[in-house]
Amino acid sequence: MKITEIRVYQIDLPLVEGRYSWGDGKFVEVFDCTVVELVTDSGSSGWGEVCPLGPFYLPAFGRGARAAIAELSPHLIGLDATETGVVNLVMDQALLGHPYAKSAIDMACWDLLGKRAGMPVCDLMGGRHGEAVALYRAISQESPEAMAAKIAKYRDEGYTKFQLKVGGDAKDDIARIKATRALLDRDEVLVADANTGWLMHDAARVVDAVSDLDVYIEQPCKTYEESLTIRRRTARPFVLDENIDGVHMLMRALSDGAMDVINLKISKVGGLTKAMQIRDLCVSFGVAMTIEDSWGGDIITAAISHLAHSTPERFRFSSTDFNSYVTVDTAHGGPKRQTGFISAANEPGLGVTSDVTLLGQPVAVYS
Ligand code: MG
């Protein structure tokens, strides 16, 4: 399956809710999504996708993804797409960093590997664990009352796990956590995700004020060192996300006992190949995971479903069905949420295909 052509598509993904707001006053209304089609000499195409959470969440942005793919493409033409180790090595030698852009290529390679093997990607990643993957719903930052109302709505749709977007004013965030926890049953999960938005004194006030509540604290502060100080002064279960951007930070954080759970985003770490390495280390070290991506449409939701479904159930803290947050499809056959769960497809590869009827004409073609 030699790569003969790389087609790059750009598609805007508006939100069902109109706006997604999180810590430190950040928000996005339309996501800039890039879809990659790897055309091969076998006649099969592989599909990948990358969709940064705006240009100010991680060091990643839509036009950056397309520029990096342009830089990488001459190195990829002629490679066997199913040799994921070779493709990753070539990408890392050709371009330092830019893991999010490489993620879309790597995802498309896994799609082709599955098609060649005649197996779903989740079977190639270790096999399917359990019936379905439990999802969380992200609750965009609003007033405590509005967020509580959103939780009631999404609970009616079958979700049992909720991630509150906090990271704003500490007093308001305490009210957000208290108002929403009061609505939930004991077996429902609440995470307060500050997305790096608190200074240490803000975070200290919040964790003290919610010390008697069943709530997880996620990524309170900007740096790893700041977040570690908060980890050491609270007994609440603790999640690191933005700071765990690869295997080296994971090893450091494991050594420091810096978290109980990590948020593993496929594009943050450079694709499914590298995410699987981190996933397997987390399983060995007893760390549960939220398995997801920064954002995305049907192709990313499919990739999430395969990585998560091939992860032992005890280690699956939660995942995300991004294709239910946006108003347009990026592919046919994306996994659809059933109550609060998704499942990996049984078809070979990722189980999605796309075309110009959804994506429009490619914005770039490399051959
Ligand atoms: Mg997070």
Side-chain angles (χ1 to χ4, degrees), residues 239-269:
V239 187
L240 282 180
D241 180 351
E242 284 87 334
N243 294 145
I244 306 297
D245 58 0
V247 73
H248 294 94
M249 275 307 301
L250 174 67
M251 298 314 291
R252 181 178 170 198
L254 286 170
S255 163
D256 290 339
M259 74 278 153
D260 307 294
V261 177
I262 68 158
N263 186 309
L264 176 55
K265 292 184 162 75
I266 296 167
S267 65
K268 181 177 62 180
V269 300

PDB file of all heavy atoms in Angstrom, residues 239-269:
ATOM      1  N   VAL A 239      -6.404  14.745  37.784  1.00  0.00           N
ATOM      2  CA  VAL A 239      -6.192  14.432  36.362  1.00  0.00           C
ATOM      3  C   VAL A 239      -5.212  15.443  35.779  1.00  0.00           C
ATOM      4  O   VAL A 239      -5.359  16.642  36.013  1.00  0.00           O
ATOM      5  CB  VAL A 239      -7.530  14.523  35.574  1.00  0.00           C
ATOM      6  CG1 VAL A 239      -7.344  14.028  34.140  1.00  0.00           C
ATOM      7  CG2 VAL A 239      -8.649  13.759  36.277  1.00  0.00           C
ATOM      8  N   LEU A 240      -4.226  14.974  35.029  1.00  0.00           N
ATOM      9  CA  LEU A 240      -3.384  15.882  34.245  1.00  0.00           C
ATOM     10  C   LEU A 240      -3.697  15.693  32.773  1.00  0.00           C
ATOM     11  O   LEU A 240      -3.894  14.571  32.303  1.00  0.00           O
ATOM     12  CB  LEU A 240      -1.898  15.633  34.507  1.00  0.00           C
ATOM     13  CG  LEU A 240      -1.341  16.198  35.814  1.00  0.00           C
ATOM     14  CD1 LEU A 240       0.144  15.860  35.937  1.00  0.00           C
ATOM     15  CD2 LEU A 240      -1.557  17.704  35.940  1.00  0.00           C
ATOM     16  N   ASP A 241      -3.731  16.801  32.039  1.00  0.00           N
ATOM     17  CA  ASP A 241      -4.085  16.760  30.621  1.00  0.00           C
ATOM     18  C   ASP A 241      -3.047  17.515  29.796  1.00  0.00           C
ATOM     19  O   ASP A 241      -2.114  16.919  29.255  1.00  0.00           O
ATOM     20  CB  ASP A 241      -5.498  17.344  30.448  1.00  0.00           C
ATOM     21  CG  ASP A 241      -5.974  17.347  29.006  1.00  0.00           C
ATOM     22  OD1 ASP A 241      -5.176  17.058  28.099  1.00  0.00           O
ATOM     23  OD2 ASP A 241      -7.161  17.661  28.760  1.00  0.00           O
ATOM     24  N   GLU A 242      -3.159  18.846  29.741  1.00  0.00           N
ATOM     25  CA  GLU A 242      -2.319  19.638  28.845  1.00  0.00           C
ATOM     26  C   GLU A 242      -0.831  19.364  29.045  1.00  0.00           C
ATOM     27  O   GLU A 242      -0.060  19.380  28.073  1.00  0.00           O
ATOM     28  CB  GLU A 242      -2.610  21.142  29.030  1.00  0.00           C
ATOM     29  CG  GLU A 242      -3.917  21.613  28.379  1.00  0.00           C
ATOM     30  CD  GLU A 242      -5.150  21.454  29.276  1.00  0.00           C
ATOM     31  OE1 GLU A 242      -5.154  20.580  30.173  1.00  0.00           O
ATOM     32  OE2 GLU A 242      -6.115  22.209  29.073  1.00  0.00           O
ATOM     33  N   ASN A 243      -0.391  19.137  30.277  1.00  0.00           N
ATOM     34  CA  ASN A 243       1.050  18.945  30.533  1.00  0.00           C
ATOM     35  C   ASN A 243       1.555  17.571  30.094  1.00  0.00           C
ATOM     36  O   ASN A 243       2.762  17.393  29.906  1.00  0.00           O
ATOM     37  CB  ASN A 243       1.381  19.116  32.012  1.00  0.00           C
ATOM     38  CG  ASN A 243       1.158  20.524  32.531  1.00  0.00           C
ATOM     39  OD1 ASN A 243       0.763  20.704  33.679  1.00  0.00           O
ATOM     40  ND2 ASN A 243       1.394  21.530  31.701  1.00  0.00           N
ATOM     41  N   ILE A 244       0.653  16.585  29.935  1.00  0.00           N
ATOM     42  CA  ILE A 244       1.103  15.239  29.544  1.00  0.00           C
ATOM     43  C   ILE A 244       1.042  15.154  28.022  1.00  0.00           C
ATOM     44  O   ILE A 244       0.076  14.685  27.430  1.00  0.00           O
ATOM     45  CB  ILE A 244       0.249  14.133  30.218  1.00  0.00           C
ATOM     46  CG1 ILE A 244       0.223  14.333  31.740  1.00  0.00           C
ATOM     47  CG2 ILE A 244       0.800  12.746  29.866  1.00  0.00           C
ATOM     48  CD1 ILE A 244       1.570  14.211  32.428  1.00  0.00           C
ATOM     49  N   ASP A 245       2.115  15.653  27.398  1.00  0.00           N
ATOM     50  CA  ASP A 245       2.113  15.779  25.933  1.00  0.00           C
ATOM     51  C   ASP A 245       3.000  14.746  25.257  1.00  0.00           C
ATOM     52  O   ASP A 245       3.295  14.859  24.069  1.00  0.00           O
ATOM     53  CB  ASP A 245       2.525  17.200  25.527  1.00  0.00           C
ATOM     54  CG  ASP A 245       3.901  17.572  26.066  1.00  0.00           C
ATOM     55  OD1 ASP A 245       4.537  16.732  26.751  1.00  0.00           O
ATOM     56  OD2 ASP A 245       4.346  18.705  25.805  1.00  0.00           O
ATOM     57  N   GLY A 246       3.432  13.733  26.011  1.00  0.00           N
ATOM     58  CA  GLY A 246       4.248  12.690  25.404  1.00  0.00           C
ATOM     59  C   GLY A 246       4.754  11.747  26.473  1.00  0.00           C
ATOM     60  O   GLY A 246       4.482  11.916  27.672  1.00  0.00           O
ATOM     61  N   VAL A 247       5.498  10.745  26.030  1.00  0.00           N
ATOM     62  CA  VAL A 247       5.917   9.683  26.941  1.00  0.00           C
ATOM     63  C   VAL A 247       6.906  10.196  27.991  1.00  0.00           C
ATOM     64  O   VAL A 247       6.916   9.734  29.129  1.00  0.00           O
ATOM     65  CB  VAL A 247       6.451   8.483  26.134  1.00  0.00           C
ATOM     66  CG1 VAL A 247       7.806   8.765  25.532  1.00  0.00           C
ATOM     67  CG2 VAL A 247       6.472   7.221  26.970  1.00  0.00           C
ATOM     68  N   HIS A 248       7.704  11.210  27.650  1.00  0.00           N
ATOM     69  CA  HIS A 248       8.673  11.704  28.634  1.00  0.00           C
ATOM     70  C   HIS A 248       7.986  12.390  29.801  1.00  0.00           C
ATOM     71  O   HIS A 248       8.337  12.170  30.961  1.00  0.00           O
ATOM     72  CB  HIS A 248       9.680  12.644  27.957  1.00  0.00           C
ATOM     73  CG  HIS A 248      10.551  11.938  26.974  1.00  0.00           C
ATOM     74  ND1 HIS A 248      10.254  11.882  25.636  1.00  0.00           N
ATOM     75  CD2 HIS A 248      11.675  11.201  27.142  1.00  0.00           C
ATOM     76  CE1 HIS A 248      11.179  11.152  25.011  1.00  0.00           C
ATOM     77  NE2 HIS A 248      12.043  10.729  25.908  1.00  0.00           N
ATOM     78  N   MET A 249       6.989  13.219  29.506  1.00  0.00           N
ATOM     79  CA  MET A 249       6.249  13.874  30.603  1.00  0.00           C
ATOM     80  C   MET A 249       5.456  12.847  31.407  1.00  0.00           C
ATOM     81  O   MET A 249       5.305  12.978  32.622  1.00  0.00           O
ATOM     82  CB  MET A 249       5.318  14.963  30.053  1.00  0.00           C
ATOM     83  CG  MET A 249       5.973  16.307  29.852  1.00  0.00           C
ATOM     84  SD  MET A 249       6.837  16.961  31.314  1.00  0.00           S
ATOM     85  CE  MET A 249       5.528  17.053  32.537  1.00  0.00           C
ATOM     86  N   LEU A 250       4.949  11.813  30.720  1.00  0.00           N
ATOM     87  CA  LEU A 250       4.231  10.767  31.453  1.00  0.00           C
ATOM     88  C   LEU A 250       5.171  10.099  32.464  1.00  0.00           C
ATOM     89  O   LEU A 250       4.803   9.898  33.630  1.00  0.00           O
ATOM     90  CB  LEU A 250       3.664   9.727  30.486  1.00  0.00           C
ATOM     91  CG  LEU A 250       3.019   8.520  31.180  1.00  0.00           C
ATOM     92  CD1 LEU A 250       1.752   8.928  31.927  1.00  0.00           C
ATOM     93  CD2 LEU A 250       2.712   7.407  30.175  1.00  0.00           C
ATOM     94  N   MET A 251       6.383   9.761  32.039  1.00  0.00           N
ATOM     95  CA  MET A 251       7.315   9.074  32.944  1.00  0.00           C
ATOM     96  C   MET A 251       7.681   9.965  34.127  1.00  0.00           C
ATOM     97  O   MET A 251       7.767   9.517  35.263  1.00  0.00           O
ATOM     98  CB  MET A 251       8.586   8.657  32.188  1.00  0.00           C
ATOM     99  CG  MET A 251       8.357   7.666  31.059  1.00  0.00           C
ATOM    100  SD  MET A 251       7.282   6.268  31.470  1.00  0.00           S
ATOM    101  CE  MET A 251       8.315   5.377  32.615  1.00  0.00           C
ATOM    102  N   ARG A 252       7.882  11.248  33.858  1.00  0.00           N
ATOM    103  CA  ARG A 252       8.199  12.180  34.948  1.00  0.00           C
ATOM    104  C   ARG A 252       7.041  12.270  35.939  1.00  0.00           C
ATOM    105  O   ARG A 252       7.230  12.223  37.157  1.00  0.00           O
ATOM    106  CB  ARG A 252       8.504  13.560  34.352  1.00  0.00           C
ATOM    107  CG  ARG A 252       8.873  14.572  35.396  1.00  0.00           C
ATOM    108  CD  ARG A 252       9.220  15.908  34.749  1.00  0.00           C
ATOM    109  NE  ARG A 252       9.327  16.922  35.786  1.00  0.00           N
ATOM    110  CZ  ARG A 252       9.272  18.227  35.550  1.00  0.00           C
ATOM    111  NH1 ARG A 252       9.138  18.675  34.321  1.00  0.00           N
ATOM    112  NH2 ARG A 252       9.356  19.082  36.543  1.00  0.00           N
ATOM    113  N   ALA A 253       5.832  12.386  35.406  1.00  0.00           N
ATOM    114  CA  ALA A 253       4.655  12.528  36.270  1.00  0.00           C
ATOM    115  C   ALA A 253       4.383  11.246  37.060  1.00  0.00           C
ATOM    116  O   ALA A 253       3.974  11.299  38.226  1.00  0.00           O
ATOM    117  CB  ALA A 253       3.443  12.919  35.418  1.00  0.00           C
ATOM    118  N   LEU A 254       4.642  10.092  36.433  1.00  0.00           N
ATOM    119  CA  LEU A 254       4.493   8.828  37.170  1.00  0.00           C
ATOM    120  C   LEU A 254       5.485   8.786  38.335  1.00  0.00           C
ATOM    121  O   LEU A 254       5.150   8.385  39.452  1.00  0.00           O
ATOM    122  CB  LEU A 254       4.743   7.644  36.241  1.00  0.00           C
ATOM    123  CG  LEU A 254       3.643   7.309  35.232  1.00  0.00           C
ATOM    124  CD1 LEU A 254       4.148   6.284  34.225  1.00  0.00           C
ATOM    125  CD2 LEU A 254       2.389   6.801  35.940  1.00  0.00           C
ATOM    126  N   SER A 255       6.698   9.211  38.064  1.00  0.00           N
ATOM    127  CA  SER A 255       7.741   9.201  39.094  1.00  0.00           C
ATOM    128  C   SER A 255       7.388  10.134  40.250  1.00  0.00           C
ATOM    129  O   SER A 255       7.673   9.839  41.413  1.00  0.00           O
ATOM    130  CB  SER A 255       9.055   9.597  38.424  1.00  0.00           C
ATOM    131  OG  SER A 255       9.991   9.975  39.367  1.00  0.00           O
ATOM    132  N   ASP A 256       6.731  11.255  39.942  1.00  0.00           N
ATOM    133  CA  ASP A 256       6.338  12.231  40.983  1.00  0.00           C
ATOM    134  C   ASP A 256       5.011  11.876  41.650  1.00  0.00           C
ATOM    135  O   ASP A 256       4.597  12.577  42.578  1.00  0.00           O
ATOM    136  CB  ASP A 256       6.189  13.628  40.357  1.00  0.00           C
ATOM    137  CG  ASP A 256       7.520  14.223  39.931  1.00  0.00           C
ATOM    138  OD1 ASP A 256       8.565  13.793  40.448  1.00  0.00           O
ATOM    139  OD2 ASP A 256       7.497  15.131  39.065  1.00  0.00           O
ATOM    140  N   GLY A 257       4.310  10.860  41.157  1.00  0.00           N
ATOM    141  CA  GLY A 257       2.961  10.596  41.670  1.00  0.00           C
ATOM    142  C   GLY A 257       2.051  11.786  41.442  1.00  0.00           C
ATOM    143  O   GLY A 257       1.251  12.165  42.296  1.00  0.00           O
ATOM    144  N   ALA A 258       2.159  12.387  40.258  1.00  0.00           N
ATOM    145  CA  ALA A 258       1.524  13.685  40.017  1.00  0.00           C
ATOM    146  C   ALA A 258       0.052  13.605  39.641  1.00  0.00           C
ATOM    147  O   ALA A 258      -0.608  14.646  39.527  1.00  0.00           O
ATOM    148  CB  ALA A 258       2.281  14.427  38.913  1.00  0.00           C
ATOM    149  N   MET A 259      -0.476  12.396  39.406  1.00  0.00           N
ATOM    150  CA  MET A 259      -1.890  12.302  39.005  1.00  0.00           C
ATOM    151  C   MET A 259      -2.391  10.878  39.203  1.00  0.00           C
ATOM    152  O   MET A 259      -1.598   9.941  39.347  1.00  0.00           O
ATOM    153  CB  MET A 259      -2.091  12.728  37.542  1.00  0.00           C
ATOM    154  CG  MET A 259      -1.625  11.731  36.515  1.00  0.00           C
ATOM    155  SD  MET A 259       0.136  11.866  36.232  1.00  0.00           S
ATOM    156  CE  MET A 259       0.559  10.222  35.720  1.00  0.00           C
ATOM    157  N   ASP A 260      -3.719  10.759  39.206  1.00  0.00           N
ATOM    158  CA  ASP A 260      -4.375   9.451  39.259  1.00  0.00           C
ATOM    159  C   ASP A 260      -4.865   9.020  37.887  1.00  0.00           C
ATOM    160  O   ASP A 260      -5.033   7.835  37.620  1.00  0.00           O
ATOM    161  CB  ASP A 260      -5.570   9.508  40.210  1.00  0.00           C
ATOM    162  CG  ASP A 260      -5.158  10.046  41.570  1.00  0.00           C
ATOM    163  OD1 ASP A 260      -4.380   9.371  42.260  1.00  0.00           O
ATOM    164  OD2 ASP A 260      -5.592  11.166  41.926  1.00  0.00           O
ATOM    165  N   VAL A 261      -5.159  10.012  37.057  1.00  0.00           N
ATOM    166  CA  VAL A 261      -5.763   9.792  35.732  1.00  0.00           C
ATOM    167  C   VAL A 261      -5.052  10.748  34.775  1.00  0.00           C
ATOM    168  O   VAL A 261      -4.696  11.862  35.174  1.00  0.00           O
ATOM    169  CB  VAL A 261      -7.277  10.136  35.767  1.00  0.00           C
ATOM    170  CG1 VAL A 261      -7.919   9.993  34.395  1.00  0.00           C
ATOM    171  CG2 VAL A 261      -8.024   9.288  36.794  1.00  0.00           C
ATOM    172  N   ILE A 262      -4.842  10.321  33.523  1.00  0.00           N
ATOM    173  CA  ILE A 262      -4.413  11.301  32.520  1.00  0.00           C
ATOM    174  C   ILE A 262      -5.488  11.439  31.456  1.00  0.00           C
ATOM    175  O   ILE A 262      -6.304  10.549  31.246  1.00  0.00           O
ATOM    176  CB  ILE A 262      -3.073  10.968  31.828  1.00  0.00           C
ATOM    177  CG1 ILE A 262      -3.173   9.725  30.934  1.00  0.00           C
ATOM    178  CG2 ILE A 262      -1.943  10.852  32.836  1.00  0.00           C
ATOM    179  CD1 ILE A 262      -2.106   9.658  29.858  1.00  0.00           C
ATOM    180  N   ASN A 263      -5.449  12.589  30.802  1.00  0.00           N
ATOM    181  CA  ASN A 263      -6.261  12.784  29.616  1.00  0.00           C
ATOM    182  C   ASN A 263      -5.353  12.580  28.411  1.00  0.00           C
ATOM    183  O   ASN A 263      -4.396  13.328  28.211  1.00  0.00           O
ATOM    184  CB  ASN A 263      -6.871  14.190  29.627  1.00  0.00           C
ATOM    185  CG  ASN A 263      -7.835  14.391  28.479  1.00  0.00           C
ATOM    186  OD1 ASN A 263      -7.499  14.115  27.328  1.00  0.00           O
ATOM    187  ND2 ASN A 263      -9.020  14.876  28.774  1.00  0.00           N
ATOM    188  N   LEU A 264      -5.642  11.511  27.656  1.00  0.00           N
ATOM    189  CA  LEU A 264      -4.824  11.119  26.507  1.00  0.00           C
ATOM    190  C   LEU A 264      -5.533  11.567  25.236  1.00  0.00           C
ATOM    191  O   LEU A 264      -6.558  11.001  24.849  1.00  0.00           O
ATOM    192  CB  LEU A 264      -4.635   9.600  26.518  1.00  0.00           C
ATOM    193  CG  LEU A 264      -3.882   8.979  25.336  1.00  0.00           C
ATOM    194  CD1 LEU A 264      -2.512   9.610  25.137  1.00  0.00           C
ATOM    195  CD2 LEU A 264      -3.759   7.470  25.530  1.00  0.00           C
ATOM    196  N   LYS A 265      -4.979  12.607  24.626  1.00  0.00           N
ATOM    197  CA  LYS A 265      -5.546  13.138  23.385  1.00  0.00           C
ATOM    198  C   LYS A 265      -4.668  12.685  22.219  1.00  0.00           C
ATOM    199  O   LYS A 265      -3.454  12.899  22.240  1.00  0.00           O
ATOM    200  CB  LYS A 265      -5.610  14.665  23.440  1.00  0.00           C
ATOM    201  CG  LYS A 265      -6.612  15.199  24.449  1.00  0.00           C
ATOM    202  CD  LYS A 265      -6.690  16.714  24.387  1.00  0.00           C
ATOM    203  CE  LYS A 265      -7.966  17.236  25.034  1.00  0.00           C
ATOM    204  NZ  LYS A 265      -7.943  17.186  26.495  1.00  0.00           N
ATOM    205  N   ILE A 266      -5.298  12.091  21.211  1.00  0.00           N
ATOM    206  CA  ILE A 266      -4.535  11.458  20.133  1.00  0.00           C
ATOM    207  C   ILE A 266      -3.603  12.462  19.451  1.00  0.00           C
ATOM    208  O   ILE A 266      -2.414  12.192  19.263  1.00  0.00           O
ATOM    209  CB  ILE A 266      -5.497  10.813  19.109  1.00  0.00           C
ATOM    210  CG1 ILE A 266      -6.307   9.682  19.775  1.00  0.00           C
ATOM    211  CG2 ILE A 266      -4.728  10.273  17.908  1.00  0.00           C
ATOM    212  CD1 ILE A 266      -7.489   9.193  18.955  1.00  0.00           C
ATOM    213  N   SER A 267      -4.114  13.627  19.096  1.00  0.00           N
ATOM    214  CA  SER A 267      -3.277  14.565  18.340  1.00  0.00           C
ATOM    215  C   SER A 267      -2.248  15.267  19.223  1.00  0.00           C
ATOM    216  O   SER A 267      -1.213  15.709  18.728  1.00  0.00           O
ATOM    217  CB  SER A 267      -4.141  15.606  17.616  1.00  0.00           C
ATOM    218  OG  SER A 267      -4.813  16.422  18.531  1.00  0.00           O
ATOM    219  N   LYS A 268      -2.513  15.363  20.525  1.00  0.00           N
ATOM    220  CA  LYS A 268      -1.547  16.007  21.431  1.00  0.00           C
ATOM    221  C   LYS A 268      -0.235  15.245  21.455  1.00  0.00           C
ATOM    222  O   LYS A 268       0.830  15.836  21.597  1.00  0.00           O
ATOM    223  CB  LYS A 268      -2.160  16.086  22.844  1.00  0.00           C
ATOM    224  CG  LYS A 268      -1.295  16.744  23.890  1.00  0.00           C
ATOM    225  CD  LYS A 268      -2.014  16.856  25.249  1.00  0.00           C
ATOM    226  CE  LYS A 268      -2.367  15.489  25.803  1.00  0.00           C
ATOM    227  NZ  LYS A 268      -3.057  15.589  27.116  1.00  0.00           N
ATOM    228  N   VAL A 269      -0.313  13.910  21.310  1.00  0.00           N
ATOM    229  CA  VAL A 269       0.889  13.084  21.417  1.00  0.00           C
ATOM    230  C   VAL A 269       1.392  12.605  20.049  1.00  0.00           C
ATOM    231  O   VAL A 269       2.385  11.892  19.983  1.00  0.00           O
ATOM    232  CB  VAL A 269       0.664  11.882  22.359  1.00  0.00           C
ATOM    233  CG1 VAL A 269       0.289  12.388  23.749  1.00  0.00           C
ATOM    234  CG2 VAL A 269      -0.395  10.921  21.839  1.00  0.00           C
TER     235      VAL A 269
END
